Amino acid sequence: MLDSVDVGPRSLDAYTQLIGEQGVAEIRELAEPFKGARIAHINASTYGAGVCELLRSIVPLYRGLGIQADWKLISADPEFFSVTKAFRNALQGAPYELTQDARETYLMYNSRNGELLKEEEYDFIIVHDPQTAAIRHFRGPDGTKWIWRCHIDTSEPNEAVLEFMLPFLAEYDALVFTMDAFVPAALRHQRVVTMTPAIDPLSPKNMGLSGAICQEILAWRGINPRKPLITQASRFDPWKDPLGVIEAYRLVRSEVPGLQLALIGSMASDDREVWEMYSRIVAEIKGDDDIHVLTNLIGVGDMDVSAFQTSSDVVIQKSIREGFGLGVSETMWKGTPVVANRSGGIPLQMEGDVGGFLVDDTEECARRVFFLLSNRDEARRRGLAGRERVRQRFLITRLLADELRLLASLASARGTLAPSASAIPG
Amino acid sequence: MLDSVDVGPRSLDAYTQLIGEQGVAEIRELAEPFKGARIAHINASTYGAGVCELLRSIVPLYRGLGIQADWKLISADPEFFSVTKAFRNALQGAPYELTQDARETYLMYNSRNGELLKEEEYDFIIVHDPQTAAIRHFRGPDGTKWIWRCHIDTSEPNEAVLEFMLPFLAEYDALVFTMDAFVPAALRHQRVVTMTPAIDPLSPKNMGLSGAICQEILAWRGINPRKPLITQASRFDPWKDPLGVIEAYRLVRSEVPGLQLALIGSMASDDREVWEMYSRIVAEIKGDDDIHVLTNLIGVGDMDVSAFQTSSDVVIQKSIREGFGLGVSETMWKGTPVVANRSGGIPLQMEGDVGGFLVDDTEECARRVFFLLSNRDEARRRGLAGRERVRQRFLITRLLADELRLLASLASARGTLAPSASAIPG
């Protein structure tokens, strides 16, 4: 048996105030046919990636709807995770030489976990990301409907790795990508679906803290409440361009004396790159007392992030490359204007500059931040429009409904297709 | 110059509601003679230890009182930190073979940082913990008053390491320990002072969240609000005995079906021991859905810890060995009853079983937890008494007053003692 992550059940009732009684009723209706159905979400870790946050929110909601949903974890050794980390980067376009050793490691652990899965029966299994994509192959034939959910940008994948993965993907009943642009051109499959990820408005990161509490938190963390503040809350890695944020900030500060910058990042335990970037940031800001670097090492957690997203004048998301960039929706949900780089899923969230401004470089970033700091009414208006955009498109309840509709479409095809025979070359 | 940690100023006014106008006025009076004085707190890191939390709270308060207070960091390479980590453990009683190499590494970095400090002038320098104790020696003679503040339990130190440190300690004007019991018997010094550490009631960890918010946070983290909950929030290391907590919990659960346990720990980035303990905990609770393991890896920060301390029915602190164990005061401050092992500074905080129960072993721990779960009025009464105890003795304002009094006593002796000559043997 695979390990389970217990996350308890959670009633949809709590979301009524946000999506209305009709919204809740619609989801209940979509879930009705699946009462008692057995569904597993399978991924590789309980922490560290956006997918974990999603599962932590959505699996309890399935359960609250009377569906027997499990969150299952594969088990593997570090050698497997170094291979899959490389695969992941390669599928996102990083140069990579696929070796026979890497293939074998990947297959060995997927095979082992597929074996473990044979002891369990599910009506639907949703497998997340490349790490576990071959598990369906090794699980063997069954009555289960299989979905592979890809959370990364595979628009320009390393060809060798994609080719290696394609036969495994072909065995799924459906493949889900975050957006059309992320679907690899070489992929041929009878059922490719897109669903954007979403934020949970009731999670500690998004639940809505009072302005007074937010101000207290910021003050205690060293922010002067009488001076303007801009923030980027994002991993300290080169793709999020924290050094570019500092550069943009300094450009703006030359026009807005006293402007403060908060850089908030979570330090992964074992990620050398993140530590290197942290050191570079610390060196870069040495002696610059208006820049504040905040991490989980000093107890900064989801709720502090929320307070900064809520109480900053502008939030920046300067990612050079981005999966979906859910931090943008998190911030828009708080009604705070965002200036974000046009990368990954960000333009989709802020289409039409709703919620702030999309930009293409550091100078434009600085110019837009300055504009929002100087035009408070416009900033407020854009912030509120951003919140409404998120309410309509990027809440977890929308994602839940999308998933239930996909399950329904697969269930109606139940038994009519032998999954592994159904991969119709395009 | 040594690096500075910028933490901003902070007014004492915010504490009026907690310690009264008289309390605030007293501190202002103590601070009056030091307006404009230059004070440095020096330690080795901005994160990871209780001393960092203290400095993050108290340095801004100094500044708010018109004192020119700095928080300064020594700089050193990893080889230094492995030596000082070993020193620290040795001074707390761990077996250790002091080598010539270790001495030299220690002295080389203290010398280098002492040199850096020569460029700066202070009236008072407070040096924290063994890492930096020799910095005073290498800084050389000056008009500064020097205080060494020891935050660890040095009651049974490794003799070789203590002997190596003693000449450096002798050069200080005052030595501060957490409690009398922690002062090494071999230490002879003309001025040894004790001060307990304290909590900041306005920090994100202690600021007081509404019951409704706490319940929402717990529910989202998977806690069932209709079932009782006990929590330990403490490093995952053997000295905090998390496996003993699980054992105690299971004893209680045999009497209280449905009882839930939350184990909350912060994962240090590079601490192998913590990761090993985390794995042991995860293995131990496998399949036990009523036990929840929560870490900073999933965004759990100070405010979530606060929510759990506030909304748990009982909080456990089962430390086998403890410095002061400030988590106990944090919990008592929330009015939640504590069952804690009689170790380190814990008996001092809960003297007379105020705030809960002091215990000596797992079985007694379980018995007391069961008692508190079964006697809600008594539990509430003890919880409230705990809060009052903290208000009187363990708030940061009391510590600030203690420090100011110590500065006053040293200032009045200014110039009359050549510090290094004043270490009176025996």
Side-chain angles (χ1 to χ4, degrees), chain A residues 309-384:
Chain A
Q309 288 170 336
T310 304
S311 291
S312 294
D313 295 286
V314 177
V315 167
I316 295 178
Q317 186 67 50
K318 210 176 166 315
S319 313
I320 293 162
R321 183 145 197 159
E322 194 50 89
F324 188 66
L326 216 47
V328 168
S329 276
E330 285 167 16
T331 304
M332 292 201 293
W333 181 241
K334 280 113 193 171
T336 302
V338 182
V339 174
N341 229 37
R342 213 182 291 277
S343 63
I346 293 175
L348 196 152
Q349 295 172 74
M350 297 181 63
E351 205 186 332
D353 282 337
V354 166
F357 289 106
L358 291 162
V359 298
D360 290 297
D361 57 39
T362 300
E363 207 192 271
E364 191 184 4
C365 175
R367 208 164 56 239
R368 292 307 201 178
V369 169
F370 177 73
F371 174 85
L372 289 167
L373 291 174
S374 318
N375 295 272
R376 293 310 177 122
D377 285 345
E378 177 68 13
R380 198 169 307 116
R381 209 180 53 73
R382 283 182 189 255
L384 290 176

Side-chain angles (χ1 to χ4, degrees), chain A residues 171-242:
Chain A
E171 296 180 340
Y172 284 82
D173 298 280
L175 306 180
V176 181
F177 290 84
T178 291
M179 38 195 268
D180 290 337
F182 287 4
V183 182
L187 180 74
R188 298 290 175 271
H189 196 282
Q190 81 283 9
R191 189 108 175 81
V192 173
V193 177
T194 60
M195 288 176 201
T196 56
I199 67 163
D200 183 350
L202 300 184
S203 74
K205 213 195 244 172
N206 299 307
M207 62 197 287
L209 298 169
S210 74
I213 285 186
C214 294
Q215 288 297 344
E216 276 184 60
I217 293 166
L218 267 60
W220 195 86
R221 299 272 181 211
I223 304 300
N224 184 333
R226 289 179 302 280
K227 295 180 183 172
L229 169 69
I230 63 180
T231 292
Q232 173 160 304
S234 209
R235 261 170 77 85
F236 291 147
D237 84 27
W239 299 116
K240 311 297 185 186
D241 197 20

Side-chain angles (χ1 to χ4, degrees), chain B residues 316-328:
Chain B
I316 296 178
Q317 186 68 50
K318 209 175 168 314
S319 313
I320 293 161
R321 182 144 196 159
E322 194 51 88
F324 189 66
L326 216 47
V328 167

